[in-house]
Amino acid sequence: MEKAYKLEFINEQTGTLAVNCCGCSKTEPLHSFGPALKPHYMIHYVLSGKGIFRIGGREYPLEAGSGFLITPGELAFYQSDEREPWTYVWVGFSGSGAGNFVNYMGLSVSHPVFHSERSDELYGSVRDMMEHNTFGLTNELRRNGQLQIFLSLIAENARPQDKAEEDKANQYVIRAVEFIQRNYCNPVKVTDVADYVCINRSYLYTLFENSMGMSPQQFLTTYRITKAAELLAVTALPVESIALSCGYNDPLVFTKAFKQMKGMSPSSYRREMQNKESRRNKEYLRQVEDFISQVNKLNS
């Protein structure tokens, strides 16, 4: 028999990452689960004792300080040791970003185990989830916040051991691009991007040149000016406001960068877009008038 304290939740809000269940178990010798499927991601962390875990045709011996991932739709089996049965905590989770988080942590069916020395903190996160177990947005936010802490503690030591160097490099670029897309409106610099992805600026430069054919600074500027051009074309916002909205505190610096990329000032670009739109509207109106004229001829 297994002495288990567990909770299951209905996610009241859909989102990127949400707790489905959590619990703590002190197992009897040779207590097992499976082979069976889980409908969501599930991470077990061993607090004491030993056991085995099987997934993807492989078996992993585990002990205190180790953990394992069960992936949705994959047959999994785990069993406690006959002499030193394990005690573990677990968290089940899902959401639109769950798979990405797991991959970034370096966990997968082919690499499902990890090690962490943060036993007390991992246990504390799960215990906090269980203490805030009632219906309502407040407790759901609390549980999901603890889930992110739980995963962050594991991510400190979980590394993508089976990923190629090229794969790692691509991930740096992807993370850097996402950072720029989220922060282009702020006066961030390339050093901020490099600090975010935890590599030095020169290495980031090399990665961008190899994968995108431009430097990080060129990409940042291009992204900002592209967003600015969209605002100039579809809004009546002052140029100064558009500059601030695209990460430029100095309108003169913005104008210089815009002119260098677009070959004209922001004001001239706006006038040209308005003239083009006016010409398109006039052409459309002419087509409508021609159609009406043809209909009238048929009616007559």
Side-chain angles (χ1 to χ4, degrees):
M1 292 291 293
E2 177 187 36
K3 296 179 181 178
Y5 303 89
K6 62 182 180 179
L7 294 168
E8 296 189 10
F9 308 103
I10 298 175
N11 295 324
E12 298 138 40
Q13 306 288 331
T14 58
T16 303
L17 200 60
V19 179
N20 292 100
C21 60
C22 62
C24 178
S25 296
K26 183 176 182 179
T27 66
E28 296 293 329
L30 297 179
H31 171 80
S32 65
F33 168 85
L37 306 174
K38 291 290 185 180
H40 45 249
Y41 290 96
M42 184 168 281
I43 288 180
H44 289 64
Y45 177 75
V46 183
L47 299 171
S48 64
K50 299 178 181 179
I52 60 168
F53 171 61
R54 295 179 193 147
I55 196 170
R58 297 180 63 184
E59 180 174 300
Y60 304 86
L62 300 171
E63 57 185 8
S66 300
F68 58 88
L69 169 76
I70 298 177
T71 304
E74 290 286 340
L75 277 176
F77 172 85
Y78 50 96
Q79 183 177 56
S80 65
D81 188 73
E82 182 176 11
R83 295 183 179 180
E84 299 179 55
W86 51 17
T87 298
Y88 50 66
V89 292
W90 77 85
V91 179
F93 57 95
S94 59
S96 60
N100 286 335
F101 278 109
V102 167
N103 289 334
Y104 298 150
M105 291 164 63
L107 296 176
S108 64
V109 173
S110 60
H111 185 237
V113 301
F114 63 90
H115 185 81
S116 175
E117 300 293 339
R118 309 295 285 272
S119 177
D120 291 343
E121 292 162 278
L122 289 166
Y123 172 73
S125 287
V126 176
R127 181 170 180 173
D128 192 272
M129 293 179 205
M130 298 181 72
E131 289 176 349
H132 295 84
N133 58 10
T134 56
F135 175 85
L137 180 61
T138 300
N139 279 342
E140 184 179 11
L141 290 171
R142 176 78 176 228
R143 291 192 298 268
N144 293 343
Q146 285 294 341
L147 169 61
Q148 296 194 37
I149 293 173
F150 181 84
L151 296 178
S152 74
L153 293 169
I154 295 170
E156 289 181 354
N157 294 311
R159 293 291 182 264
Q161 297 177 4
D162 57 346
K163 288 184 177 289
E165 287 300 319
E166 182 180 354
D167 223 13
K168 294 179 185 178
N170 289 337
Q171 288 300 317
Y172 285 133
V173 174
I174 290 170
R175 297 276 72 78
V177 168
E178 289 177 347
F179 180 83
I180 290 171
Q181 290 173 329
R182 290 195 300 267
N183 292 279
Y184 75 92
C185 54
N186 301 315
V188 296
K189 300 177 180 178
V190 173
T191 51
D192 299 316
V193 181
D195 290 343
Y196 174 74
V197 296
C198 302
I199 59 177
N200 63 54
R201 179 171 177 166
S202 61
Y203 184 42
L204 183 65
Y205 177 91
T206 300
L207 294 179
F208 263 73
E209 286 287 349
N210 290 341
S211 64
M212 307 193 72
M214 65 176 72
S215 70
Q217 183 61 58
Q218 288 172 323
F219 181 85
L220 176 59
T221 300
T222 300
Y223 196 84
R224 282 172 165 162
I225 297 303
T226 300
K227 289 294 183 180
E230 291 177 5
L231 291 174
L232 287 165
V234 302
T235 75
L237 288 171
V239 171
E240 292 79 4
S241 296
I242 291 175
L244 284 172
S245 300
C246 295
Y248 290 93
N249 289 331
D250 188 339
L252 294 178
V253 174
F254 165 68
T255 298
K256 182 178 179 180
F258 192 95
K259 190 172 183 178
Q260 186 174 5
M261 182 166 294
K262 295 293 186 179
M264 64 184 75
S265 69
S267 298
S268 299
Y269 181 85
R270 169 174 276 166
R271 284 194 297 270
E272 182 170 307
M273 290 300 101
Q274 289 172 345
N275 289 336
K276 285 183 178 179
E277 184 65 25
S278 177
R279 288 196 295 271
R280 280 196 295 266
N281 289 339
K282 288 179 180 178
E283 176 63 21
Y284 178 72
L285 180 59
R286 186 190 63 77
Q287 292 174 359
V288 171
E289 289 174 342
D290 288 346
F291 177 75
I292 293 173
S293 176
Q294 291 174 7
V295 171
N296 289 337
K297 287 180 180 179
L298 290 173
N299 290 336
S300 61

